[in-house]
Amino acid sequence: LAPSNVSIIGQPAEMVGKPTLKASADGSEFGLTGDVKVSIPFIGKKIAPEIAKALTLSLREEVAYGMERL
């Protein structure tokens, strides 16, 4: 799978990563590795882990919805 960018519209944050899809006992498993960048001077690096948590939760919800629809 090709590298992906996840942006938060109207916010100075983005995630650049590489998605993976592999077989599992239940069918398939989606994964994403990457880096979060927050473009706010002085505090960007401090809040990046919280942004990563929020993006991860959002992506998990999207994957769950997609699996439900399939």
Side-chain angles (χ1 to χ4, degrees):
L1 298 171
S4 297
N5 286 4
V6 177
S7 298
I8 303 172
I9 297 172
Q11 301 299 318
E14 71 174 348
M15 180 177 187
V16 177
K18 181 159 176 68
T20 59
L21 191 59
K22 61 182 178 180
S24 72
D26 296 329
S28 61
E29 186 176 306
F30 174 81
L32 180 66
T33 57
D35 296 309
V36 172
K37 180 180 177 187
V38 181
S39 299
I40 301 174
F42 305 111
I43 64 168
K45 289 184 180 182
K46 292 180 183 178
I47 65 171
E50 294 303 316
I51 301 296
K53 287 179 191 176
L55 288 172
T56 300
L57 178 61
S58 177
L59 289 170
R60 283 186 182 155
E61 290 174 355
E62 285 189 42
V63 169
Y65 178 75
M67 291 178 72
E68 180 182 304
R69 297 290 293 170
L70 291 175

